[in-house]
Amino acid sequence: MHNPALATRRLILQGAASVALLGLGNLPFAAPARAAANDKYPEEAFKQKSEAEAIKALYGKNAEPSDKVKLDAPEIAENGGVVPISVTTTLDKVTSISFFVAENPNALAASYRIPDGTVASVANRLKMAKTTNVTAIVEANGKLYSATKEVKVTVGGCGG
Amino acid sequence: MASSIRVRATANGDITEVQALIQHPMDTGFVKDAKGELIPAHFIQELKFEYNGKDVFVADWGTAVSKDPYVKFSFKGAKKGDDLKVSWTDNKGASDTTTAKIS
């Protein structure tokens, strides 16, 4: 190097660049593991109380409401112990579908892994503690899309 | 003992519709018994459907899935007469497996 001052400056710049790269590289690892995308039972997500925390633990990102997610649930459920809820979607490349009941003791109710070749549509029956919102989240092409519907519950499904 | 899993898989063209009903208490851990003692949580955590050695549908369940759970889904590529393997495991380590013929 002919100019020591310049060389030092370059070194500093390189240093700064690698720090920035490291910072960016670390981000995905710092975010909670996306359990729905791998093969493990998402234990942590099921333990979370609120819907926001459960979504964060399961997917590590937020969902945007979409009219391509069709959530079918009754207006009024007479028995909160058995509420038939289903979801279908016209979205492509769906990898998982999850159901959340906002005011249950634990918001995440069920999460389904949808491999390639399986139709992006699920019907199941869930318990609801009281009148609250049910949200379905569809993971498609790495993004999250949601639909929410309020279900009125006459008799809660958590007993006690 | 009869299997805890009842499954019906019907092929219609390229699409096979699967409905499964499983006998399981799905106790939440929030309910008390007649003596006023909490019934510990007891629920299916994972339910798997395999076709041709490959998972076609995997359910991860919490306690909010109803007692004697029911689930319905569809997948592509199977034919009438093929086997569909269904298995579950619960939070106490119990499990059950059955194989259904696609009709």
Side-chain angles (χ1 to χ4, degrees), chain A residues 39-43 46 81-83 101 104-106 108-119 121-128 157-160, chain B residues 15 21 25-28 30-32 43-46 48 54-76:
Chain A
D39 290 342
K40 262 191 75 180
Y41 179 74
E43 186 119 34
F46 277 108
V82 187
V83 185
V101 182
N104 267 6
N106 303 102
L108 178 59
S111 180
Y112 298 93
R113 292 174 236 160
I114 313 284
D116 212 18
T118 296
V119 181
S121 167
V122 181
N124 62 8
R125 299 196 295 222
L126 304 177
K127 291 175 206 162
M128 294 184 65
C158 283
Chain B
I15 305 259
L21 196 57
M26 298 301 282
D27 288 318
T28 59
F30 298 111
V31 182
K32 287 175 182 153
F43 59 99
I44 293 176
Q45 290 188 310
E46 193 177 79
K48 232 182 220 196
K54 219 185 101 206
D55 290 348
V56 289
F57 191 73
V58 184
D60 292 319
W61 281 348
T63 55
V65 171
S66 300
K67 180 182 179 223
D68 298 336
Y70 164 85
V71 72
K72 181 170 102 172
F73 73 96
S74 304
F75 70 100
K76 290 175 195 161

Side-chain angles (χ1 to χ4, degrees), chain A:
Chain A
M1 290 291 167
H2 300 293
N3 185 336
L6 245 179
T8 316
R9 205 181 137 204
R10 188 166 297 154
L11 266 177
I12 290 168
L13 277 173
Q14 272 174 356
S18 55
V19 164
L21 274 175
L22 268 176
L24 281 174
N26 276 338
L27 265 179
F29 300 104
R34 279 179 291 146
N38 63 37
D39 290 342
K40 262 191 75 180
Y41 179 74
E43 186 119 34
E44 276 308 308
F46 277 108
K47 280 187 198 152
Q48 302 302 318
K49 297 209 174 345
S50 80
E51 185 176 297
E53 282 164 13
I55 294 171
K56 206 174 146 206
L58 186 63
Y59 290 112
K61 55 189 161 188
N62 292 321
E64 56 174 272
S66 166
D67 57 8
K68 287 184 177 156
V69 179
K70 293 260 180 294
L71 174 65
D72 192 18
E75 294 273 327
I76 297 172
E78 276 174 26
N79 178 3
V82 187
V83 185
I85 294 169
S86 64
V87 68
T88 57
T89 177
T90 50
L91 290 160
D92 264 345
K93 294 184 185 162
V94 172
T95 48
S96 78
I97 295 178
S98 304
F99 293 91
F100 300 83
V101 182
E103 286 187 43
N104 267 6
N106 303 102
L108 178 59
S111 180
Y112 298 93
R113 292 174 236 160
I114 313 284
D116 212 18
T118 296
V119 181
S121 167
V122 181
N124 62 8
R125 299 196 295 222
L126 304 177
K127 291 175 206 162
M128 294 184 65
K130 54 180 153 182
T131 298
T132 183
N133 281 340
V134 175
T135 299
I137 289 191
V138 174
E139 183 183 28
N141 211 0
K143 285 209 175 89
L144 302 181
Y145 303 91
S146 69
T148 300
K149 190 176 173 189
E150 192 196 49
V151 177
K152 292 193 170 64
V153 176
T154 325
V155 181
C158 283

